[in-house]
Amino acid sequence: LAAVVYLLDPGRVVLGGGVVRIGEPLRRAVEDALAATIVGGDHRPRVEVALAVLGVEATAIGAALLGAGYAPPTGGARR
């Protein structure tokens, strides 16, 4: 995940699919691990890690929407 952050420099990473069932403990652990792993993390905004609102179905619904040519507005994740 850190490699993706280096490459794309996102402000937010959204966890979707089955791992969302773990909930807040996983979200917090991933966010903390990213903060500790990112080189120069003290000199850039912290990457927010959010859980997908759609939970387990997020991946399938997102793929179907993208396949249909629909790009949803940003902000569809919860913290």
Side-chain angles (χ1 to χ4, degrees):
L1 197 54
V4 173
V5 171
Y6 288 136
L7 182 64
L8 301 176
D9 194 27
R12 175 186 298 162
V13 172
V14 180
L15 303 176
V19 298
V20 174
R21 290 181 178 147
I22 298 170
E24 181 59 21
L26 176 67
R27 188 208 64 77
R28 188 177 331 108
V30 171
E31 190 171 78
D32 291 345
L34 270 178
T37 304
I38 300 296
V39 175
D42 297 337
H43 306 288
R44 68 178 315 270
R46 188 173 171 127
V47 177
E48 175 189 359
V49 176
L51 300 173
V53 174
L54 299 175
V56 177
E57 283 90 30
T59 306
I61 292 171
L65 289 172
L66 286 174
Y70 174 75
T74 59
R78 64 184 158 101
R79 200 154 194 239

Coordinates of all heavy atoms in Angstrom, one line a residue:
L1 N 0.8 -1.2 0.0 CA 0.0 0.0 0.0 C 0.9 1.3 0.0 O 0.5 2.2 -0.6 CB -0.9 0.0 1.2 CG -2.1 0.9 1.2 CD1 -3.0 0.7 -0.1 CD2 -3.0 0.7 2.4
A2 N 2.0 1.2 0.7 CA 2.9 2.3 0.7 C 3.4 2.7 -0.7 O 3.5 3.8 -1.1 CB 4.1 2.1 1.7
A3 N 3.6 1.6 -1.5 CA 4.1 1.9 -2.9 C 3.1 2.6 -3.7 O 3.4 3.5 -4.5 CB 4.4 0.5 -3.5
V4 N 1.8 2.3 -3.5 CA 0.7 3.0 -4.2 C 0.7 4.5 -3.7 O 0.5 5.4 -4.5 CB -0.6 2.3 -3.9 CG1 -1.8 3.1 -4.5 CG2 -0.6 0.9 -4.5
V5 N 0.9 4.7 -2.4 CA 0.9 6.1 -1.9 C 2.1 6.8 -2.5 O 1.9 8.0 -3.0 CB 1.0 6.1 -0.4 CG1 1.2 7.5 0.1 CG2 -0.3 5.5 0.2
Y6 N 3.2 6.2 -2.6 CA 4.4 6.9 -3.3 C 4.1 7.2 -4.7 O 4.4 8.3 -5.2 CB 5.6 6.0 -3.3 CG 6.3 5.8 -1.9 CD1 6.7 4.6 -1.5 CD2 6.5 6.9 -1.1 CE1 7.3 4.4 -0.2 CE2 7.1 6.8 0.2 CZ 7.5 5.5 0.6 OH 8.0 5.3 1.8
L7 N 3.5 6.3 -5.4 CA 3.2 6.5 -6.9 C 2.1 7.5 -7.2 O 2.3 8.3 -8.0 CB 2.9 5.1 -7.5 CG 2.6 5.1 -9.0 CD1 3.9 5.5 -9.7 CD2 2.1 3.7 -9.4
L8 N 1.0 7.4 -6.4 CA -0.2 8.2 -6.8 C -0.4 9.4 -5.8 O -1.2 10.3 -6.2 CB -1.4 7.3 -6.7 CG -1.4 6.1 -7.7 CD1 -2.7 5.3 -7.5 CD2 -1.3 6.6 -9.1
D9 N 0.2 9.4 -4.7 CA 0.1 10.5 -3.7 C -1.3 10.9 -3.4 O -1.7 12.0 -3.5 CB 0.9 11.7 -4.2 CG 1.1 12.8 -3.1 OD1 1.1 12.4 -1.9 OD2 1.2 14.0 -3.4
P10 N -2.2 9.9 -3.0 CA -3.6 10.2 -2.7 C -3.7 10.8 -1.3 O -2.9 10.6 -0.5 CB -4.2 8.8 -2.7 CG -3.1 7.9 -2.2 CD -1.8 8.5 -2.8
G11 N -4.8 11.5 -1.1 CA -5.1 12.1 0.2 C -5.9 11.1 1.0 O -5.9 11.2 2.2
R12 N -6.5 10.1 0.3 CA -7.3 9.1 1.0 C -7.2 7.8 0.3 O -7.1 7.7 -0.9 CB -8.8 9.6 1.0 CG -9.7 8.5 1.6 CD -11.2 8.9 1.4 NE -11.4 10.1 2.1 CZ -12.5 10.9 1.8 NH1 -13.4 10.6 0.9 NH2 -12.7 12.0 2.5
V13 N -7.1 6.7 1.1 CA -7.1 5.3 0.7 C -8.4 4.7 1.2 O -8.6 4.9 2.4 CB -5.9 4.5 1.1 CG1 -6.0 3.1 0.8 CG2 -4.6 5.1 0.5
V14 N -9.2 4.1 0.4 CA -10.5 3.5 0.9 C -10.3 2.0 0.8 O -10.0 1.4 -0.2 CB -11.7 4.0 0.0 CG1 -13.0 3.3 0.5 CG2 -11.8 5.5 0.0
L15 N -10.6 1.4 2.0 CA -10.6 -0.1 2.1 C -12.0 -0.6 1.8 O -12.9 -0.1 2.4 CB -10.2 -0.5 3.5 CG -8.8 0.0 4.0 CD1 -8.6 -0.4 5.4 CD2 -7.7 -0.5 3.1
G16 N -12.1 -1.5 0.9 CA -13.4 -2.1 0.6 C -13.4 -3.6 0.6 O -12.3 -4.2 0.8
G17 N -14.5 -4.2 0.3 CA -14.6 -5.6 0.3 C -14.7 -6.2 1.7 O -15.1 -5.5 2.6
G18 N -14.4 -7.5 1.8 CA -14.5 -8.2 3.0 C -13.8 -7.7 4.2 O -14.2 -7.9 5.3
V19 N -12.7 -7.0 4.0 CA -11.9 -6.5 5.1 C -12.6 -5.4 5.9 O -12.3 -5.2 7.0 CB -10.5 -6.0 4.7 CG1 -9.7 -7.1 4.1 CG2 -10.6 -4.8 3.8
V20 N -13.7 -4.8 5.3 CA -14.4 -3.8 5.9 C -15.1 -4.3 7.2 O -15.4 -3.6 8.1 CB -15.4 -3.1 5.0 CG1 -16.3 -2.2 5.7 CG2 -14.7 -2.5 3.9
R21 N -15.4 -5.6 7.2 CA -16.1 -6.3 8.3 C -15.2 -6.1 9.6 O -15.8 -6.1 10.7 CB -16.3 -7.8 8.1 CG -17.4 -8.0 7.0 CD -17.6 -9.5 6.8 NE -18.6 -9.7 5.9 CZ -18.6 -10.7 5.0 NH1 -17.7 -11.6 5.0 NH2 -19.6 -10.8 4.2
I22 N -13.9 -6.0 9.5 CA -13.0 -5.9 10.7 C -13.3 -4.5 11.3 O -13.2 -4.3 12.5 CB -11.6 -6.1 10.3 CG1 -11.4 -7.5 9.7 CG2 -10.6 -5.8 11.5 CD1 -10.0 -7.7 9.1
G23 N -13.5 -3.5 10.5 CA -14.0 -2.2 11.0 C -12.8 -1.3 11.4 O -11.7 -1.3 10.9
E24 N -13.1 -0.5 12.4 CA -12.3 0.6 12.9 C -10.9 0.1 13.3 O -9.9 0.8 13.1 CB -13.0 1.3 14.0 CG -12.2 2.5 14.6 CD -11.8 3.5 13.6 OE1 -12.4 3.7 12.5 OE2 -10.8 4.3 13.9
P25 N -10.8 -1.1 14.0 CA -9.4 -1.5 14.4 C -8.5 -1.7 13.2 O -7.3 -1.3 13.2 CB -9.6 -2.9 15.1 CG -11.0 -2.8 15.6 CD -11.8 -2.0 14.6
L26 N -9.0 -2.2 12.1 CA -8.2 -2.4 10.9 C -7.9 -1.0 10.2 O -6.8 -0.7 9.9 CB -8.9 -3.3 9.8 CG -8.1 -3.4 8.5 CD1 -6.8 -4.1 8.7 CD2 -9.0 -4.0 7.5
R27 N -8.9 -0.1 10.1 CA -8.7 1.2 9.5 C -7.6 1.9 10.3 O -6.7 2.5 9.7 CB -10.0 2.0 9.6 CG -9.9 3.3 8.8 CD -10.8 4.4 9.3 NE -10.5 4.8 10.6 CZ -9.5 5.6 11.0 NH1 -8.7 6.1 10.1 NH2 -9.3 6.0 12.2
R28 N -7.7 2.0 11.6 CA -6.7 2.7 12.4 C -5.3 2.1 12.2 O -4.3 2.8 12.1 CB -7.1 2.7 13.9 CG -6.3 3.6 14.7 CD -6.7 3.6 16.2 NE -8.1 3.4 16.4 CZ -8.7 2.3 17.0 NH1 -7.9 1.3 17.3 NH2 -10.0 2.2 17.1
A29 N -5.2 0.7 12.2 CA -3.9 0.0 12.1 C -3.3 0.3 10.8 O -2.1 0.6 10.7 CB -4.1 -1.4 12.3
V30 N -4.1 0.3 9.7 CA -3.6 0.6 8.4 C -3.1 2.1 8.3 O -2.0 2.4 7.8 CB -4.6 0.3 7.3 CG1 -4.1 0.8 5.9 CG2 -4.9 -1.2 7.2
E31 N -3.9 3.0 8.8 CA -3.5 4.4 8.8 C -2.2 4.6 9.6 O -1.3 5.3 9.1 CB -4.7 5.2 9.3 CG -4.5 6.7 9.1 CD -5.7 7.5 9.5 OE1 -6.0 7.7 10.7 OE2 -6.4 7.9 8.6
D32 N -2.1 4.0 10.7 CA -0.9 4.2 11.5 C 0.3 3.5 10.9 O 1.4 4.1 10.9 CB -1.1 3.6 12.9 CG -2.1 4.4 13.8 OD1 -2.4 5.5 13.4 OD2 -2.5 3.8 14.8
A33 N 0.1 2.3 10.3 CA 1.2 1.7 9.6 C 1.7 2.5 8.4 O 2.9 2.6 8.1 CB 0.8 0.3 9.1
L34 N 0.8 3.1 7.6 CA 1.2 3.9 6.5 C 2.0 5.1 7.0 O 3.0 5.5 6.4 CB -0.1 4.4 5.7 CG -0.6 3.6 4.6 CD1 -1.8 4.2 4.0 CD2 0.5 3.4 3.6
A35 N 1.5 5.8 8.1 CA 2.2 6.9 8.6 C 3.6 6.6 9.0 O 4.5 7.4 8.8 CB 1.4 7.5 9.8
A36 N 3.8 5.4 9.6 CA 5.1 5.0 10.0 C 6.0 4.5 8.9 O 7.2 4.6 9.0 CB 5.0 3.8 11.1
T37 N 5.4 4.1 7.8 CA 6.2 3.5 6.7 C 6.6 4.5 5.6 O 7.6 4.4 5.0 CB 5.3 2.4 6.0 OG1 4.9 1.4 6.9 CG2 6.1 1.7 4.9
I38 N 5.8 5.5 5.4 CA 6.0 6.5 4.4 C 7.3 7.3 4.7 O 7.3 8.0 5.7 CB 4.8 7.5 4.2 CG1 3.5 6.7 3.8 CG2 5.1 8.6 3.2 CD1 3.6 6.0 2.5
V39 N 8.2 7.3 3.8 CA 9.4 8.1 4.0 C 9.1 9.5 3.9 O 8.4 9.9 2.9 CB 10.5 7.7 2.9 CG1 11.7 8.6 3.0 CG2 10.9 6.2 3.1
G40 N 9.5 10.3 4.8 CA 9.2 11.8 4.8 C 7.8 12.1 5.3 O 7.3 13.1 5.0
G41 N 7.2 11.1 6.0 CA 5.8 11.3 6.4 C 5.7 12.5 7.3 O 4.5 13.0 7.4
D42 N 6.7 12.9 8.0 CA 6.6 14.1 8.9 C 6.5 15.4 8.1 O 6.2 16.4 8.6 CB 7.9 14.2 9.7 CG 8.0 13.0 10.7 OD1 7.0 12.4 11.0 OD2 9.1 12.7 11.1
H43 N 6.8 15.3 6.8 CA 6.8 16.5 5.9 C 5.7 16.5 4.9 O 5.8 17.2 3.9 CB 8.2 16.6 5.3 CG 9.3 16.6 6.2 ND1 9.6 17.6 7.1 CD2 10.2 15.6 6.5 CE1 10.6 17.3 7.9 NE2 11.0 16.1 7.5
R44 N 4.7 15.7 5.1 CA 3.6 15.7 4.1 C 2.3 15.4 4.9 O 2.4 14.9 6.0 CB 3.8 14.6 3.0 CG 3.7 13.2 3.6 CD 3.9 12.1 2.5 NE 3.1 12.3 1.3 CZ 1.9 11.8 1.1 NH1 1.3 11.1 2.1 NH2 1.2 12.0 0.0
P45 N 1.2 15.7 4.3 CA -0.1 15.4 5.0 C -0.3 13.9 5.2 O 0.1 13.1 4.3 CB -1.2 16.0 4.1 CG -0.5 17.0 3.2 CD 0.9 16.5 3.1
R46 N -0.8 13.6 6.3 CA -1.1 12.2 6.6 C -2.1 11.6 5.6 O -3.1 12.3 5.3 CB -1.6 12.0 8.0 CG -1.7 10.6 8.5 CD -2.0 10.6 10.0 NE -2.3 9.3 10.5 CZ -1.7 8.7 11.5 NH1 -0.8 9.3 12.2 NH2 -2.1 7.5 11.8
V47 N -1.9 10.4 5.1 CA -2.9 9.8 4.2 C -4.1 9.3 5.1 O -3.9 8.5 6.0 CB -2.3 8.6 3.4 CG1 -3.3 8.0 2.5 CG2 -1.1 9.2 2.6
E48 N -5.3 9.7 4.8 CA -6.4 9.2 5.5 C -6.8 7.8 5.0 O -6.8 7.6 3.8 CB -7.6 10.2 5.2 CG -8.9 9.7 5.8 CD -10.1 10.5 5.4 OE1 -10.0 11.5 4.6 OE2 -11.2 10.2 5.8
V49 N -7.1 6.9 5.8 CA -7.6 5.6 5.5 C -9.1 5.6 5.9 O -9.4 5.8 7.1 CB -6.8 4.5 6.1 CG1 -7.4 3.1 5.8 CG2 -5.3 4.6 5.7
A50 N -10.0 5.2 5.0 CA -11.4 5.2 5.2 C -11.9 3.8 4.9 O -11.3 3.0 4.1 CB -12.1 6.2 4.4
L51 N -13.1 3.5 5.5 CA -13.8 2.2 5.2 C -14.9 2.5 4.2 O -15.6 3.5 4.3 CB -14.4 1.6 6.4 CG -13.4 1.3 7.5 CD1 -14.2 0.9 8.8 CD2 -12.5 0.2 7.1
A52 N -15.0 1.7 3.1 CA -16.0 1.9 2.1 C -17.4 1.9 2.7 O -17.7 1.0 3.5 CB -15.9 0.9 1.0
V53 N -18.2 2.8 2.3 CA -19.6 2.8 2.9 C -20.4 1.6 2.5 O -21.2 1.1 3.2 CB -20.3 4.1 2.3 CG1 -21.8 4.1 2.7 CG2 -19.6 5.4 2.9
L54 N -20.1 1.1 1.3 CA -20.9 0.0 0.8 C -20.4 -1.4 1.3 O -21.0 -2.4 1.0 CB -20.8 -0.1 -0.8 CG -21.4 1.1 -1.5 CD1 -21.2 1.0 -3.0 CD2 -22.9 1.3 -1.2
G55 N -19.4 -1.3 2.2 CA -18.9 -2.5 2.8 C -18.4 -3.6 1.9 O -17.7 -3.4 1.0
V56 N -18.9 -4.8 2.1 CA -18.5 -6.0 1.4 C -18.8 -5.9 -0.1 O -18.0 -6.4 -0.9 CB -19.1 -7.3 2.0 CG1 -18.8 -8.5 1.2 CG2 -18.7 -7.4 3.4
E57 N -19.9 -5.2 -0.5 CA -20.3 -5.1 -1.9 C -19.6 -4.0 -2.6 O -19.8 -3.8 -3.8 CB -21.8 -4.9 -2.0 CG -22.6 -6.2 -1.8 CD -23.0 -6.4 -0.3 OE1 -23.1 -5.4 0.4 OE2 -23.1 -7.5 0.1
A58 N -18.7 -3.2 -1.9 CA -18.1 -2.1 -2.6 C -17.3 -2.4 -3.8 O -17.5 -1.7 -4.8 CB -17.2 -1.4 -1.6
T59 N -16.6 -3.4 -3.8 CA -15.7 -3.8 -5.0 C -16.6 -4.1 -6.2 O -16.4 -3.6 -7.3 CB -14.8 -4.9 -4.6 OG1 -14.1 -4.6 -3.4 CG2 -13.8 -5.2 -5.7
A60 N -17.6 -5.0 -6.0 CA -18.4 -5.4 -7.1 C -19.3 -4.2 -7.6 O -19.4 -4.1 -8.9 CB -19.4 -6.5 -6.6
I61 N -19.8 -3.4 -6.8 CA -20.6 -2.3 -7.2 C -19.8 -1.3 -7.9 O -20.1 -0.7 -9.0 CB -21.4 -1.7 -6.0 CG1 -22.5 -2.6 -5.5 CG2 -22.0 -0.3 -6.4 CD1 -23.1 -2.2 -4.2
G62 N -18.6 -1.0 -7.4 CA -17.7 -0.1 -8.0 C -17.2 -0.5 -9.4 O -17.2 0.3 -10.4
A63 N -16.9 -1.8 -9.5 CA -16.5 -2.3 -10.8 C -17.7 -2.2 -11.8 O -17.5 -1.9 -13.0 CB -16.1 -3.8 -10.7
A64 N -18.9 -2.5 -11.4 CA -20.1 -2.4 -12.3 C -20.3 -1.0 -12.7 O -20.6 -0.7 -13.9 CB -21.3 -3.0 -11.6
L65 N -20.2 -0.1 -11.8 CA -20.4 1.3 -12.1 C -19.3 1.8 -13.1 O -19.6 2.6 -14.1 CB -20.4 2.2 -10.9 CG -21.7 2.0 -10.0 CD1 -21.5 2.8 -8.7 CD2 -22.9 2.5 -10.7
L66 N -18.1 1.5 -12.9 CA -17.0 1.9 -13.8 C -17.2 1.3 -15.1 O -17.0 1.9 -16.2 CB -15.7 1.5 -13.2 CG -15.2 2.4 -12.0 CD1 -13.9 1.9 -11.5 CD2 -15.0 3.9 -12.5
G67 N -17.6 0.0 -15.2 CA -17.9 -0.7 -16.4 C -19.0 0.0 -17.2 O -19.0 0.0 -18.5
A68 N -20.0 0.6 -16.5 CA -21.1 1.2 -17.1 C -20.7 2.7 -17.5 O -21.5 3.4 -18.1 CB -22.3 1.2 -16.2
G69 N -19.5 3.1 -17.2 CA -19.1 4.5 -17.5 C -19.5 5.5 -16.5 O -19.4 6.7 -16.8
Y70 N -19.9 5.1 -15.3 CA -20.3 6.1 -14.3 C -19.1 6.3 -13.3 O -18.6 5.3 -12.8 CB -21.5 5.6 -13.6 CG -21.9 6.5 -12.4 CD1 -22.5 7.7 -12.6 CD2 -21.6 6.1 -11.1 CE1 -22.8 8.5 -11.5 CE2 -22.0 6.9 -10.0 CZ -22.6 8.1 -10.2 OH -22.9 8.9 -9.2
A71 N -18.7 7.5 -13.1 CA -17.7 7.8 -12.1 C -18.4 8.6 -11.0 O -18.8 9.7 -11.1 CB -16.6 8.7 -12.7
P72 N -18.5 7.9 -9.8 CA -19.2 8.5 -8.7 C -18.5 9.7 -8.1 O -17.2 9.8 -8.3 CB -19.3 7.4 -7.6 CG -18.2 6.5 -8.0 CD -18.0 6.6 -9.5
P73 N -19.2 10.7 -7.5 CA -18.5 11.8 -6.9 C -17.6 11.4 -5.7 O -17.9 10.3 -5.2 CB -19.6 12.7 -6.4 CG -20.8 11.8 -6.3 CD -20.6 10.7 -7.3
T74 N -16.6 12.1 -5.4 CA -15.7 11.8 -4.3 C -16.5 12.0 -3.0 O -17.5 12.7 -2.9 CB -14.5 12.6 -4.3 OG1 -14.8 14.0 -4.2 CG2 -13.7 12.4 -5.6
G75 N -15.9 11.5 -1.9 CA -16.5 11.6 -0.6 C -17.4 10.5 -0.2 O -18.2 10.7 0.8
G76 N -17.4 9.4 -0.9 CA -18.3 8.3 -0.6 C -17.8 7.3 0.5 O -18.3 6.2 0.6
A77 N -16.8 7.7 1.2 CA -16.2 6.8 2.3 C -16.5 7.4 3.7 O -16.6 8.6 3.8 CB -14.7 6.6 2.0
R78 N -16.5 6.5 4.6 CA -16.7 7.0 6.0 C -15.4 6.7 6.7 O -14.7 5.8 6.4 CB -17.9 6.3 6.6 CG -17.7 4.8 6.8 CD -19.0 4.3 7.4 NE -19.1 2.8 7.1 CZ -18.8 1.9 7.9 NH1 -18.4 2.2 9.1 NH2 -18.9 0.6 7.6
R79 N -15.2 7.4 7.7 CA -14.0 7.3 8.5 C -14.2 6.4 9.7 O -15.2 6.2 10.3 CB -13.5 8.6 9.0 CG -12.1 8.6 9.4 CD -11.5 9.9 9.2 NE -10.1 9.6 9.3 CZ -9.3 10.1 10.2 NH1 -9.6 11.0 11.0 NH2 -8.0 9.7 10.3

